[in-house]
Amino acid sequence: MDALIVVFLCILGACVGSFLNVLVLRFGFRERPSPRSRCASCTTTLSPRDLIPVVSYIMLRARCRTCGSRLSAQYPIVELLTAGIFLLTYAVLRPETPFDYLSFVAYLGFWSALVALIAYDVRHTLIPLPFVYALWVFAVVHTAVSALELQSTGPLVDAAFGMVCVGGFFAALSILTRGRGMGIGDAYVGGAMGLMLGSASGIVAAILAVWIGAVWGLVLIVVAHSLRVFHRTYGLRRVTLKTEIPFAPFLALGAVIAFATGLMPLDLAFWVYPF
Ligand SMILES: [Zn+2]
């Protein structure tokens, strides 16, 4: 990959990530979006040198210059994640034609919306609908570009099938568990993923998300159990662990793996039943 493109995508991704941070922090709050960013603790207006993505966070050693209160690790994590996924998307798609570039931009938009959605879900275990709408818009644009490029309705049919399969699967899970295992928001995100990735990769993404989520859930149960035993043994006060796990990060992880590897549903079947 051209070094210049790598540098450009890193800077672009970090800046987009910085913007996503502001969206995630301000969405759903009454606070009027002020034109300049402020410290959340002492409300000092931040100077431009404190607003450089990732770099400022490291230079300031994660503390506000004025009041010394801790800055959230969400800032650099979201910025690095966005930059990383921009690079990955370029490496996978290798755009050349104008259609390729349109498709590439649609993917960058889709991943950006997904990063914002995960950050919000991790913070509040809630999925804000405007973030979901953004996912759908980018998925529709991507599907339309593919159909125009190939001069065929094939991509439309495949995307619609992916949307119904993945969205329907998570909607069914949500209804069967009465929203306890999974929120209906996850079904909307799953549907957008099926539309964006197409049926094959969409299904792979969904299966991977469920597997990764299940393993993570098991790890949490084991940890909670060991903690409880530990506390009982040493007569400590009982601890309660938050059991509600946001699922959107697993969906996104499944989508990124499916996109990057191009695995097919049958490949996964082969892992489970290798004969
Ligand atoms: Zn401060």
Side-chain angles (χ1 to χ4, degrees), residues 180-199:
R180 264 173 300 174
M182 198 159 294
I184 196 73
D186 297 313
Y188 289 129
V189 177
M193 271 167 39
L195 192 66
M196 185 77 193
L197 299 172
S199 57

Side-chain angles (χ1 to χ4, degrees), residues 74-95:
Q74 182 201 311
Y75 295 104
I77 290 173
V78 164
E79 286 154 3
L80 289 174
L81 258 183
T82 315
I85 201 139
F86 278 22
L87 281 179
L88 177 78
T89 307
Y90 187 85
V92 171
L93 294 181
R94 298 274 173 172

Side-chain angles (χ1 to χ4, degrees), residues 6 39 41 55 58 78 106 115 126-127 132 146 178 188 192 194 201 217 266:
V6 172
C39 166
S41 251
V55 178
I58 296 168
V78 164
V115 168
L126 276 178
I127 295 177
V132 177
S146 310
R178 300 208 180 113
Y188 289 129
S201 292
L266 275 180

Side-chain angles (χ1 to χ4, degrees), residues 5-208:
I5 291 175
V6 172
V7 172
F8 170 74
L9 285 175
C10 281
I11 295 174
L12 179 72
C15 291
V16 170
S18 183
F19 169 71
L20 297 176
N21 273 321
V22 176
L23 274 188
V24 168
L25 288 178
R26 292 194 182 161
F27 182 83
F29 295 96
R30 291 247 170 159
E31 183 210 338
R32 284 225 120 183
S34 67
R36 300 285 301 275
S37 290
R38 294 157 184 278
C39 166
S41 251
C42 65
T43 68
T44 308
T45 306
L46 297 177
S47 61
R49 65 176 172 163
D50 293 341
L51 291 172
I52 310 161
V54 185
V55 178
S56 293
Y57 187 85
I58 296 168
M59 299 294 281
L60 291 168
R61 297 209 183 87
R63 291 191 182 280
C64 167
R65 192 188 292 281
T66 316
C67 68
S69 66
R70 257 201 116 66
L71 300 174
S72 166
Q74 182 201 311
Y75 295 104
I77 290 173
V78 164
E79 286 154 3
L80 289 174
L81 258 183
T82 315
I85 201 139
F86 278 22
L87 281 179
L88 177 78
T89 307
Y90 187 85
V92 171
L93 294 181
R94 298 274 173 172
E96 277 166 19
T97 68
F99 276 118
D100 293 350
Y101 272 99
L102 279 176
S103 195
F104 175 59
V105 170
Y107 260 107
L108 296 191
F110 185 83
W111 297 132
S112 301
L114 204 53
V115 168
L117 196 144
I118 298 166
Y120 203 90
D121 195 21
V122 170
R123 260 185 114 84
H124 306 289
T125 26
L126 276 178
I127 295 177
L129 272 180
F131 292 15
V132 177
Y133 296 148
L135 280 186
W136 283 89
V137 169
F138 288 117
V140 167
V141 168
H142 175 254
T143 309
V145 169
S146 310
L148 281 174
E149 185 179 17
L150 298 173
Q151 296 285 309
S152 141
T153 53
L156 301 181
V157 175
D158 182 53
F161 184 60
M163 176 188 79
V164 170
C165 283
V166 181
F169 173 68
F170 287 113
L173 269 187
S174 166
I175 291 163
L176 284 176
T177 61
R178 300 208 180 113
R180 264 173 300 174
M182 198 159 294
I184 196 73
D186 297 313
Y188 289 129
V189 177
M193 271 167 39
L195 192 66
M196 185 77 193
L197 299 172
S199 57
S201 292
I203 289 168
V204 169
I207 295 171
L208 290 177

